[in-house]
Amino acid sequence: MKHQDILSLTLEQLTQTILTYDQPKYRAKQIYGWLHKNMVTSFEEMANIPKLLRGILCNNFYIPAPVALKKLKSSDESIKHLLNFKNNTIIETVLLKSSYGYTICVSTQAGCKMGCTFCASQEKGFKRNLTAGEILAQVYHIQRELDKKISNIVIMGIGEPLDNYPASVAFIRILSSPEGLNLSQRSITISTCGLVDKIYDLAKEELQVTLAISINAGDNAKRKEIMPIAKKYTIEQLIEAAEYYFKKTKRRVSYEYVLIKNVNDAKEQALSLSKKLARTSSHVNLIPLNYVVGGEYSRSEDEKIKEFAKILQKSNISTTIRISKGQDIDAACGQLRNISFPLT
């Protein structure tokens, strides 16, 4: 019989499951606490759970604790973890340190289907979706090692979170549950390259997470050159979905714009984008392209980046030039892969 990932179950699902084994309801809450507060990696660690029930759990479920293959530490104290899950599923997870605390950047897929030409995550193709439990396990692995409270989670690692929609939403709900780590949903950001239909679905979930959208161009023709998803959805459709998200959640949307030299950093792109985002409830993060080994693109020049920002700001669009962390260990935006350094 195939074992089930127990970390992926909400408390309600776990309770219903425990009842089917003729166990008292309160046992589900105890097990859930061991999994999501104590972050145990084996059923034998659940000291107050009877041996019979631990046996049932061992025979029917597994806890998706990853095997740590390697980690690299950046000069800015960012740490990249290379983790291996079931069936040789290798992903990267990053811990970022700042003045306001610790942030974990989690992956939702091994590889990526989206094909954005400037991103390393798509280079080795797509292997599979991660389960909600495997996404949680990344947080728990780093949390156990760090032994300090995490302040923020960004779902911006390898993969497109909205292409793995059920697992991504379950991850958010379990991570923010009072019986678990109880992390505020306002401290969670989910990033998408622009799956418009899923943005509408996410808006209806009644979550309080921040939505970040990779836009990367001011017009549709330019966006199609670097982001295949633009062939399915226009920028106008994307912005309309984002505004719907804002109206439903009252959470301001962030637009991520990777600036690539002589590709999307022209003044005309900034002017076009500023017209489209005028009168929207949004913020723009300008991200100078991070170097990717073997990549065909270069980072925009500092003066062009500043000029781009000024054009947006003149249209009263809140704009920030992001300082990327972990560049020296290939841990910054667009640099993550399912394997990016040798295992030996």
Coordinates of all heavy atoms in Angstrom, one line a residue, residues 51 68 86 110 131 144-145 171 187 197 222 233-234 250 279 288 301 334:
K51 N 1.8 3.5 21.4 CA 2.6 2.7 20.5 C 1.8 2.1 19.3 O 2.2 2.1 18.2 CB 3.3 1.6 21.2 CG 4.3 0.8 20.4 CD 5.0 -0.3 21.2 CE 6.0 -1.0 20.4 NZ 6.8 -2.0 21.2
A68 N 19.6 16.5 3.4 CA 20.4 17.6 3.1 C 21.7 17.2 2.4 O 22.5 16.5 2.9 CB 20.8 18.4 4.4
K86 N 11.8 12.5 -2.0 CA 11.5 11.2 -2.6 C 11.8 11.2 -4.1 O 11.6 12.1 -4.8 CB 10.0 10.9 -2.4 CG 9.7 10.2 -1.0 CD 8.2 9.8 -0.9 CE 8.0 8.5 -1.5 NZ 6.6 8.0 -1.2
A110 N 10.0 20.8 -8.7 CA 11.4 20.4 -9.1 C 11.5 20.8 -10.6 O 10.9 20.1 -11.4 CB 11.6 19.0 -8.8
T131 N 4.7 18.2 -2.9 CA 3.5 18.1 -2.1 C 3.5 19.3 -1.2 O 4.6 19.9 -0.9 CB 3.4 16.8 -1.3 OG1 4.5 16.8 -0.3 CG2 3.5 15.6 -2.2
R144 N 14.5 24.2 12.1 CA 15.2 23.3 13.1 C 16.7 23.6 13.2 O 17.3 23.7 14.3 CB 15.1 21.8 12.7 CG 13.7 21.2 13.0 CD 13.8 19.7 12.9 NE 14.2 19.3 11.5 CZ 13.3 19.0 10.5 NH1 12.0 19.2 10.7 NH2 13.8 18.6 9.4
E145 N 17.3 23.9 12.0 CA 18.8 24.1 12.0 C 19.1 25.5 12.6 O 20.0 25.7 13.3 CB 19.3 24.0 10.6 CG 20.7 24.2 10.4 CD 21.2 23.9 9.0 OE1 21.2 22.7 8.6 OE2 21.6 24.9 8.3
F171 N -0.2 24.5 1.7 CA 1.0 25.0 2.4 C 0.7 26.2 3.2 O 1.1 26.3 4.4 CB 2.1 25.2 1.4 CG 3.3 26.0 1.9 CD1 4.2 25.5 2.8 CD2 3.5 27.3 1.5 CE1 5.3 26.2 3.3 CE2 4.5 28.1 2.0 CZ 5.4 27.5 2.9
S187 N 2.7 37.8 6.3 CA 4.2 37.6 6.2 C 4.6 36.6 5.1 O 5.7 36.2 5.0 CB 4.7 37.1 7.6 OG 4.4 38.0 8.6
D197 N -6.0 32.8 -14.6 CA -7.1 32.1 -14.1 C -6.9 31.7 -12.6 O -7.8 31.7 -11.8 CB -7.4 30.8 -14.9 CG -6.2 29.9 -15.1 OD1 -5.1 30.4 -15.0 OD2 -6.4 28.7 -15.4
K222 N 7.0 42.7 -26.3 CA 8.3 42.5 -25.6 C 8.1 41.3 -24.6 O 9.0 40.5 -24.4 CB 8.7 43.8 -24.9 CG 10.0 43.7 -24.2 CD 11.2 43.3 -25.1 CE 11.5 44.4 -26.1 NZ 12.6 44.0 -27.0
Y233 N -1.8 35.1 -22.0 CA -2.5 36.1 -21.2 C -1.8 37.5 -21.6 O -0.6 37.6 -21.5 CB -2.4 35.9 -19.7 CG -3.0 34.7 -19.3 CD1 -2.3 33.6 -18.7 CD2 -4.4 34.5 -19.3 CE1 -2.8 32.4 -18.2 CE2 -5.0 33.3 -18.9 CZ -4.2 32.3 -18.3 OH -4.8 31.1 -17.9
T234 N -2.6 38.5 -21.8 CA -2.0 39.8 -22.1 C -1.7 40.5 -20.8 O -2.2 40.1 -19.7 CB -3.0 40.7 -22.9 OG1 -4.1 40.9 -22.1 CG2 -3.4 40.0 -24.2
K250 N -7.9 43.2 -0.3 CA -7.3 44.5 0.2 C -5.8 44.5 0.4 O -5.3 45.2 1.2 CB -8.0 44.9 1.5 CG -9.5 45.1 1.4 CD -9.9 46.2 0.5 CE -11.4 46.4 0.4 NZ -12.1 45.4 -0.4
R279 N -3.1 54.4 -11.7 CA -4.4 54.3 -10.9 C -4.7 52.9 -10.5 O -5.8 52.5 -10.2 CB -5.6 54.8 -11.8 CG -5.5 56.3 -12.1 CD -6.6 56.8 -12.9 NE -6.6 56.2 -14.2 CZ -5.8 56.5 -15.2 NH1 -5.0 57.5 -15.1 NH2 -5.9 55.9 -16.4
P288 N 17.6 44.3 -10.9 CA 18.6 44.1 -11.8 C 18.9 42.6 -12.1 O 19.0 41.9 -11.1 CB 19.8 44.8 -11.2 CG 19.2 45.8 -10.2 CD 18.0 45.1 -9.7
E301 N 22.5 48.7 -16.9 CA 23.4 49.6 -16.2 C 22.6 50.4 -15.2 O 21.4 50.6 -15.3 CB 24.0 50.5 -17.3 CG 24.8 49.8 -18.3 CD 25.1 50.6 -19.6 OE1 24.5 51.7 -19.7 OE2 25.8 50.1 -20.4
G334 N 16.0 34.3 -9.9 CA 16.3 33.9 -11.2 C 17.5 32.9 -11.3 O 17.8 32.4 -12.4

